C-alpha cells in the first residue's frame, strides 16, 4: 500500500517536471507552447519604433515625391525625359513615393489590367506606356514592351512616350496605367495609335478625380469623344472603382485620311496632399 502511494507520487512528480520550462530552454521546443505566441513575442522584441532621424527621412522622401509628381503632371513628356536624364536618381525617389501611395488604394488598376491580359491570348503583343517598375511584364506571359522615362531595368526602354522606337502597327494592346501625366498627353495617345495594329486594344486607367467635372476634372465624355476622333471606338467603360476609371477602346480598322483638329480637354494635375 505504501509502495503504491510512493509510485503515484513519483508519477505526479514526473508530469509536473515535464510541463515546467527551465530558464534558458527554447520555448518553441517545449510541448504545450502556442507557436504563434512565440512568434508574436519574437516580433515584438525585434520591432523598434522609428527614430527621429528615420521620421525626418520619411518626411523628406514624401516631400520629394510630391514635388516630382507635380512636375510630371505640369510639364511635357520631352521635358520630363530630359529632367530625369539629368537627375536619374530622382526617378527611384518618385517611384518609391508612388508605391507608398498605392498602399492606400484598396484596389490597384495594374492588377485589373493584368487579369484582363490573362483572360486573353498570351500571343498578344503589349506596349506598356509608363511602365514604372515593369510589374506588368513580370506578371503575364505576353511579350511586353515596357516603356518609361528611365530604364533602371534592362527590360525597360527609356524614351518619351510620344516618340517610342516601336514599329508602326506592331502591337496588339497599348496600355496607359495612370501614366497620361504630361501636358501633351494627346501626343502619347497619338503614338499608341501609330504602334497599334488595326483593331488593336487601347486600355486606359486614370485617376477618377481627373475625370470628374464636379471637382474640377475633365468631362469623361469629352475625353472619350476626343480619343474616338483620333481613331478609336469605345468597347466598354468602368466607373465602379472609388479611386480610378478604366476605358477599353479599339483602334478603327480604317483611319481617317484627313487629319482633323481635335478639341482635347485639359486633364488636371493629380496633386497628393501632405499626410
Amino acid at each position: 500500500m505504501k509502495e503504491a502511494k510512493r509510485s503515484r507520487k513519483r508519477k505526479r512528480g514526473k508530469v509536473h517536471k515535464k510541463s515546467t520550462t527551465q530558464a534558458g530552454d527554447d520555448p518553441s521546443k517545449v510541448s504545450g507552447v502556442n507557436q504563434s505566441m512565440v512568434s508574436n513575442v519574437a516580433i515584438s522584441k525585434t520591432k523598434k519604433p522609428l527614430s527621429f532621424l528615420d521620421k525626418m527621412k520619411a518626411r523628406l522622401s514624401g516631400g520629394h515625391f510630391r514635388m516630382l509628381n507635380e512636375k510630371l503632371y505640369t510639364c511635357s513628356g520631352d521635358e520630363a525625359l530630359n529632367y530625369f536624364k539629368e537627375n536619374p536618381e530622382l526617378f527611384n525617389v518618385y517611384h518609391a513615393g508612388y508605391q507608398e501611395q498605392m498602399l492606400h488604394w484598396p484596389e490597384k488598376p495594374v492588377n485589373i489590367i493584368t487579369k484582363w491580359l490573362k483572360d486573353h491570348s498570351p500571343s498578344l503583343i503589349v506596349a506598356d506606356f509608363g511602365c514604372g517598375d515593369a510589374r506588368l511584364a513580370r506578371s503575364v506571359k505576353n511579350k511586353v514592351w515596357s516603356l518609361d522615362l528611365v530604364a533602371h531595368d534592362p527590360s525597360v526602354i527609356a524614351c518619351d512616350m510620344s516618340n517610342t522606337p516601336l514599329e508602326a502597327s506592331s502591337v496588339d494592346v497599348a496600355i496607359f496605367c495612370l501614366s497620361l501625366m504630361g501636358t501633351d498627353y494627346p501626343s502619347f495617345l497619338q503614338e499608341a495609335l501609330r504602334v497599334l495594329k488595326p483593331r488593336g486594344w487601347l486600355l486606359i486607367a486614370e485617376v477618377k478625380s481627373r475625370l470628374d467635372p464636379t471637382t474640377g476634372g475633365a468631362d469623361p465624355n469629352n475625353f472619350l469623344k476626343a480619343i474616338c476622333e483620333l481613331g478609336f471606338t469605345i468597347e466598354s467603360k468602368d466607373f465602379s472603382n472609388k479611386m480610378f476609371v478604366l476605358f477599353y477602346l479599339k483602334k478603327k480598322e480604317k483611319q481617317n485620311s484627313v487629319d482633323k483638329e481635335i478639341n482635347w480637354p485639359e486633364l488636371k494635375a493629380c496633386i497628393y496632399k501632405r499626410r
Side-chain angles (χ1 to χ4, degrees):
M1 196 65 182
K2 290 180 180 179
E3 184 61 35
K5 286 182 180 179
R6 281 196 294 270
S7 176
R8 282 197 296 271
K9 286 181 180 178
R10 281 197 296 270
K11 285 180 181 178
R12 284 198 296 270
K14 286 179 181 178
V15 172
H16 179 71
K17 186 175 181 180
K18 188 175 181 180
S19 63
T20 303
T21 306
Q22 299 295 323
D25 284 352
D26 182 354
S28 65
K29 294 179 181 178
V30 179
S31 63
V33 176
N34 188 312
Q35 297 295 320
S36 64
M37 289 174 62
V38 174
S39 301
N40 289 339
V41 170
I43 291 170
S44 64
K45 285 183 178 180
T46 56
K47 193 174 181 180
K48 296 179 180 178
L50 287 175
S51 67
F52 175 75
L53 184 59
D54 289 333
K55 288 178 181 177
M56 289 303 296
K57 285 181 178 178
R59 274 192 172 187
L60 286 171
S61 178
H64 281 148
F65 166 72
R66 285 187 292 273
M67 177 195 74
L68 293 169
N69 183 69
E70 185 170 351
K71 182 171 185 63
L72 289 173
Y73 273 111
T74 55
C75 71
S76 69
D78 185 56
E79 288 170 337
L81 180 66
N82 290 330
Y83 180 76
F84 281 122
K85 274 183 178 179
E86 295 172 5
N87 309 277
E89 71 284 353
L90 293 181
F91 193 72
N92 284 340
V93 174
Y94 170 76
H95 275 286
Y98 173 81
Q99 293 301 334
E100 172 65 25
Q101 291 295 330
M102 286 294 102
L103 293 176
H104 303 285
W105 286 37
E107 191 169 25
K108 299 173 181 61
V110 67
N111 294 339
I112 295 177
I113 291 172
T114 298
K115 183 181 183 305
W116 185 92
L117 284 171
K118 287 181 176 180
D119 289 340
H120 290 72
S121 172
S123 65
L124 296 177
I125 299 172
V126 180
D128 186 6
F129 287 78
C131 66
D133 59 2
R135 181 175 304 181
L136 183 70
R138 297 195 302 271
S139 304
V140 296
K141 295 179 180 179
N142 307 67
K143 167 61 182 175
V144 179
W145 295 108
S146 298
L147 311 164
D148 216 323
L149 297 169
V150 175
H152 283 311
D153 186 287
S155 67
V156 178
I157 300 171
C159 60
D160 179 355
M161 297 305 104
S162 66
N163 184 24
T164 73
L166 302 183
E167 294 182 7
S169 303
S170 62
V171 169
D172 298 294
V173 185
I175 294 169
F176 290 90
C177 185
L178 308 181
S179 55
L180 288 175
M181 298 180 73
T183 54
D184 57 340
Y185 80 88
S187 65
F188 304 168
L189 295 168
Q190 178 72 54
E191 180 67 358
L193 182 75
R194 183 187 72 82
V195 303
L196 275 170
K197 298 174 184 177
R199 301 296 294 161
W201 286 93
L202 172 65
L203 273 57
I204 299 174
E206 192 48 79
V207 177
K208 202 165 195 174
S209 61
R210 300 188 80 199
L211 293 165
D212 183 357
T214 64
T215 59
D219 186 326
N221 293 322
N222 292 340
F223 176 68
L224 290 172
K225 180 184 176 184
I227 297 176
C228 289
E229 289 178 359
L230 179 63
F232 291 93
T233 58
I234 302 168
E235 295 295 313
S236 64
K237 300 175 281 186
D238 183 358
F239 290 89
S240 64
N241 196 276
K242 178 184 175 183
M243 307 299 288
F244 57 88
V245 295
L246 276 162
F247 300 126
Y248 302 83
L249 304 101
K250 275 191 172 183
K251 180 179 176 178
K252 292 177 182 176
E253 190 78 39
K254 292 183 179 180
Q255 296 296 308
N256 297 326
S257 56
V258 180
D259 289 336
K260 181 182 177 182
E261 176 113 18
I262 300 173
N263 185 21
W264 290 95
E266 182 181 348
L267 296 183
K268 74 173 185 177
C270 181
I271 308 299
Y272 289 99
K273 298 176 182 177
R274 292 190 62 176
R275 290 187 176 275

